[in-house]
Amino acid sequence: MTYRYLPDLHQEAAVQPGGILSRVLHNEGGVRTVIFAFDTGQELTEHTANRPAILQILSGQGRIKLGQDELEARPGTWAYMPAGLVHAIRAESPLTLLLTLLPKEDPA
């Protein structure tokens, strides 16, 4: 059994001027963890995912859209998004977030 240890997530994704950086940190057992770094004004427009996910803001300020709601995003913000939920994010300052995609839900 192996593990991966990252002593400082902030060093895993530096904000790129005028861009968005994404880097996969983990992809095993149906769980995929991706770190994103957005420069000010950068955004991911409305989209959906076919599996549930957890969003955690690590640094910076922005706005997230979850369904019809537009909400503040700042360090410490945490959100669970079920599969199929329309969502988006816009950085109002350099922003870093951690996205954890969970295993697909079994249709019961």
Side-chain angles (χ1 to χ4, degrees), residues 82-103:
L85 179 73
V86 173
H87 58 280
I89 185 158
R90 177 174 172 78
E92 295 175 342
S93 72
L95 184 141
T96 305
L97 67 84
L98 194 65
L99 177 70
T100 302
L101 297 159
L102 303 171

Side-chain angles (χ1 to χ4, degrees), residues 2-90:
T2 61
Y3 66 88
R4 182 157 187 211
Y5 171 75
L6 301 171
D8 185 355
L9 282 176
H10 297 301
Q11 292 186 13
E12 298 301 316
V15 173
Q16 304 297 307
I20 301 171
L21 176 119
S22 66
R23 183 170 174 213
V24 175
L25 301 178
H26 177 81
N27 191 16
E28 185 178 351
V31 175
R32 181 179 174 100
T33 304
V34 183
I35 192 165
F36 285 86
F38 295 77
D39 197 8
T40 302
Q42 296 299 306
E43 65 183 316
L44 290 178
T45 58
E46 288 186 8
H47 60 284
T48 62
N50 65 352
R51 55 201 244 189
I54 295 172
L55 176 78
Q56 297 169 272
I57 305 299
L58 303 175
S59 65
Q61 304 289 324
R63 303 291 295 175
I64 55 175
K65 183 174 182 180
L66 301 172
Q68 296 300 313
D69 299 324
E70 187 173 316
L71 306 159
E72 177 183 18
R74 58 183 173 81
T77 296
W78 183 98
Y80 169 79
M81 300 179 293
L85 179 73
V86 173
H87 58 280
I89 185 158
R90 177 174 172 78

